[in-house]
Amino acid sequence: MSFKEKYRSNPGGYWLLATIFLFPILPEYVSPFILFIVFIVFKRQWTREGKKAKVGTIGKLMMVFMAFSVLSTLWSDTKFTSFATAMLWWGMFLIEVMIYNLARTRKKIDRILATMTAAGSLNGIVAILQICSYTLYRYDYIEKSQVFVTPFYKPLDKLVYTWLPFDIDTTLWWDSRASGFFSNPNLLATYLLLVYPISIYLFLNTNGKKHKALYFLANVLISGGISATLTRAGCVIAIAGWLFMFVILIKQHWKPLLQIFIPTVCVIVPSLLTRYGIIFKARGGGEEAKKSSAAHFQIWGSLIDYITSHVNTFIAGLGFGCESTGLILINEYNLDKPHGHNFVIETWMEVGIIGVIILFVVLIFAFGKLLEINANNGKKFTLVFCVFTSMLLYLLFGLTDYIFNSPKQIILLFILLGLTQAISACYDKTVIYDAQSLKEAAEREIENVVHQKPIKKRKKVK
C-alpha cells in the first residue's frame, strides 16, 4: 500500500503525529491553532466512518474539572483571564480525545512515543547550541551576535506581543539559560523531563544496532537539553527518575540502563554545579540559586497564609487562571511573582479545595488505569512503567514550578492521560472498583516486578 493510500485510510492518525511533533517546536501562539485544525480532520474522518469519538472515564472526570473551572469565572475578579484559561484547557483536551480514539494498537502508541522523543531531541539540540554559544560569548571566545538566540523565537515573540491588544511582559527571558523552542527554561525542562523516560523505554525495547544508537543519542540530547536549562529541580528529578527506573527494571535491563546513566550524569551534574557557582558560574552564580529557593518558600508560605485566612478562597478559589494569584502576591505580600510555583498550591488558589480534589481524582484514576494493566511481559511492563514514570516526573517538577502555565505545558497532561487510556484499551486488565481489587492489582504488579526475566540475546541463525 502506498503512502497516499495509507494517509487516505487514516488522515487523523498522521495529523495526530504531526501535531505531537510540532506542538513543542512551534511558538505558543501558533501550536494551539494546529491542534484545532487537526481535530476537525479527525472529526470528519470519524463521521465518515460512522464512529463516535469516545472520551473514556478519565476524560469524563477531566471534563468535570474543566466545567468547574469555567464556573469559577462567575466569582473571579479577572473574568477574561479565567474564562480564556478555562477555554484553553478545553482546547488542549482535544489531544486526549484523539489519542484515545486513534492510538488503539501498540504500534501506534510506539509511534507517538517516538514522535515525542524526536521533538525532545530537536529541542535538546537547540538548547545545547544556546548554552554552549552563550558560554563561549561569556568567556569572550565569540561575539554576542554569534550567540544562538534564546529563546528561539525571541524576535518573533517581540513582534507578536507588541501587536497584541493586551500587555505581555517580554523582558522575562534568560539569555544565560537555554529555552530551546520554548519561551523560558522551566517550560523546556517540563517537556524534556516527560520525554526522558520515554526515550529510555525506546532504547530498551528497540531492535538493531542502528536504532539502539539512534535512541541512545536521543537520550543524550534530551539529557543535554535538561542540563542546558540549568533548572536545579529538573536536573535532580531527571537523575532521580533514572534511579527509579533502574531499581524497578534492574533484573531485565541493568546493562543498558547503566549505559544510559553515564551520559546522563556527565551532562546533568555539571549543570547543578554551575547553577550553584561551583564550576562555570552562571549569571548570579550560587547566590542566584539560593535566592531563588528562598523566594519559592516565601511564595508558598504567603499563599498558604492567604488560603487559610480566606474561607471562600479555601473552598472555591479566586477563579481559574493564575492572574489573580499574581495580583495577590504583589498587592498583599509585595512579591512580584506571576504564579504559585507549585501546581497544588496554585490550583488551590484558583479553584479551591473543590478543584484540587477533582484534579487529584483524575490523576489517581490515571495511575489506577496503569495499575490495572496486566503487564506480564517485558515490553508491556516497560511501556506501562515508562508512561507511569513520565507522569510522575511531570508532577514532581510541578511541586517546584507551575506546570500548567502555557499551552505547551498544559497539553502534556492531556497527552499523558490520552496515552494512559489508549494503553489501557490495548491490553488485558483487572478493573479496580474497590479496595480488594486495588490490592489484587498492586500485588500482581509487584509479582511482575519481582519475577522479571533478564532478556537473553538471540543467537544469530546462519
Side-chain angles (χ1 to χ4, degrees):
M1 188 183 290
S2 66
F3 174 77
K4 193 174 182 180
E5 290 173 321
K6 289 180 181 178
Y7 172 79
R8 284 181 176 176
S9 66
N10 185 26
Y14 285 97
W15 280 108
L16 172 63
L17 293 177
T19 304
I20 289 172
F21 177 76
L22 292 173
F23 213 98
I25 302 296
L26 297 174
E28 304 275 3
Y29 37 82
V30 175
S31 295
F33 296 103
I34 292 177
L35 173 60
F36 302 149
I37 293 168
V38 171
F39 185 78
I40 294 172
V41 175
F42 157 72
K43 194 68 176 68
R44 288 184 64 185
Q45 177 184 338
W46 243 228
T47 302
R48 187 180 70 242
E49 296 176 5
K51 298 177 181 177
K52 289 185 178 180
K54 298 177 181 179
V55 297
T57 305
I58 297 174
K60 291 173 183 175
L61 290 170
M62 179 54 78
M63 288 172 73
V64 174
F65 174 78
M66 294 188 298
F68 185 73
S69 300
V70 175
L71 187 64
S72 72
T73 303
L74 297 175
W75 58 82
S76 173
D77 291 333
T78 56
K79 294 187 186 301
F80 173 78
T81 300
S82 293
F83 184 74
T85 305
M87 289 299 100
L88 178 62
W89 276 64
W90 278 97
M92 298 304 101
F93 176 65
L94 300 179
I95 198 79
E96 179 181 342
V97 177
M98 286 192 286
I99 292 173
Y100 180 44
N101 286 271
L102 290 166
R104 286 303 188 97
T105 67
R106 166 71 183 278
K107 189 175 183 180
K108 290 177 180 178
I109 290 168
D110 277 358
R111 282 176 182 167
I112 290 175
L113 299 180
T115 302
M116 294 172 69
T117 301
S121 301
L122 195 53
N123 264 288
I125 291 171
V126 173
I128 291 167
L129 289 173
Q130 288 170 336
I131 196 67
C132 288
S133 61
Y134 175 81
T135 303
L136 290 172
Y137 159 70
R138 184 178 175 81
Y139 289 94
D140 298 322
Y141 287 103
I142 61 174
E143 300 294 325
K144 188 173 183 179
S145 60
Q146 296 173 300
V147 175
F148 209 80
V149 64
T150 304
F152 187 83
Y153 295 109
K154 189 174 185 178
L156 182 60
D157 289 346
K158 286 182 178 180
L159 184 66
V160 172
Y161 295 151
T162 303
W163 172 79
L164 289 173
F166 45 85
D167 292 332
I168 294 181
D169 192 346
T170 60
T171 62
L172 296 177
W173 286 316
W174 293 265
D175 291 335
S176 60
R177 296 171 58 196
S179 302
F181 292 106
F182 289 74
S183 57
N184 78 52
N186 287 352
L187 269 62
L188 174 61
T190 307
Y191 183 66
L192 295 183
L193 278 173
L194 187 145
V195 296
Y196 176 76
I198 291 172
S199 68
I200 293 178
Y201 157 74
L202 293 169
F203 173 71
L204 296 178
N205 289 282
T206 193
N207 295 318
K209 290 184 178 180
K210 287 184 179 179
H211 285 97
K212 281 279 185 186
L214 184 66
Y215 286 123
F216 181 83
L217 176 62
N219 185 267
V220 172
L221 293 173
I222 290 166
S223 299
I226 294 171
S227 176
T229 66
L230 296 179
T231 305
R232 292 161 297 149
C235 293
V236 171
I237 290 170
I239 294 173
W242 175 89
L243 184 61
F244 179 52
M245 296 186 78
F246 182 75
V247 169
I248 300 299
L249 301 175
I250 187 170
K251 266 194 172 183
Q252 196 174 34
H253 295 291
W254 69 272
K255 284 185 179 179
L257 280 170
L258 284 177
Q259 291 172 0
I260 285 286
F261 185 61
I262 294 169
T264 296
V265 168
C266 288
V267 298
I268 288 181
V269 170
S271 176
L272 286 169
L273 298 177
T274 300
R275 195 77 167 93
Y276 283 100
I278 297 173
I279 52 175
F280 300 104
K281 291 191 176 182
R283 186 173 58 191
E287 289 303 313
E288 184 194 11
K290 292 174 184 176
K291 287 178 182 178
S292 177
S293 298
H296 276 60
F297 284 110
Q298 196 174 1
I299 292 167
W300 299 337
S302 300
L303 294 181
I304 291 171
D305 173 70
Y306 188 87
I307 290 168
T308 54
S309 303
H310 296 78
V311 177
N312 291 343
T313 304
F314 183 94
I315 296 172
L318 296 168
F320 208 48
C322 58
E323 184 180 1
S324 294
T325 304
L327 292 173
I328 292 297
L329 285 171
I330 190 69
N331 295 329
E332 300 284 336
Y333 299 97
N334 198 30
L335 293 171
D336 189 12
K337 301 294 179 181
H339 50 69
H341 286 274
N342 178 295
F343 86 96
V344 180
I345 296 174
E346 180 60 43
T347 302
W348 202 334
M349 283 290 292
E350 295 179 21
V351 284
I353 191 67
I354 296 173
V356 170
I357 290 172
I358 299 171
L359 180 60
F360 268 78
V361 168
V362 174
L363 297 174
I364 290 167
F365 262 79
F367 282 117
K369 279 286 181 187
L370 294 172
L371 190 62
E372 285 178 351
I373 299 166
N374 184 17
N376 54 0
N377 66 56
K379 286 187 176 181
K380 191 193 301 184
F381 182 81
T382 50
L383 171 63
V384 172
F385 182 65
C386 126
V387 174
F388 178 93
T389 305
S390 288
M391 193 178 299
L392 187 64
L393 299 191
Y394 175 67
L395 296 176
L396 282 174
F397 188 63
L399 297 178
T400 64
D401 194 68
Y402 188 46
I403 50 174
F404 307 139
N405 195 37
S406 76
K408 284 188 175 184
Q409 283 182 306
I410 297 167
I411 200 172
L412 299 180
L413 174 64
F414 291 109
I415 289 173
L416 287 172
L417 296 179
L419 283 169
T420 298
Q421 292 196 123
I423 294 169
S424 177
C426 286
Y427 296 114
D428 294 332
K429 51 191 173 290
T430 302
V431 178
I432 297 173
Y433 54 87
D434 59 15
Q436 182 60 31
S437 57
L438 173 62
K439 180 184 175 184
E440 290 172 1
E443 287 175 348
R444 186 198 61 221
E445 291 309 311
I446 291 171
E447 284 290 313
N448 288 336
V449 173
V450 172
H451 293 100
Q452 288 179 79
K453 293 180 180 179
I455 291 179
K456 295 179 180 179
K457 289 184 179 181
R458 294 179 181 177
K459 293 181 179 179
K460 292 182 179 180
V461 180
K462 293 182 179 179

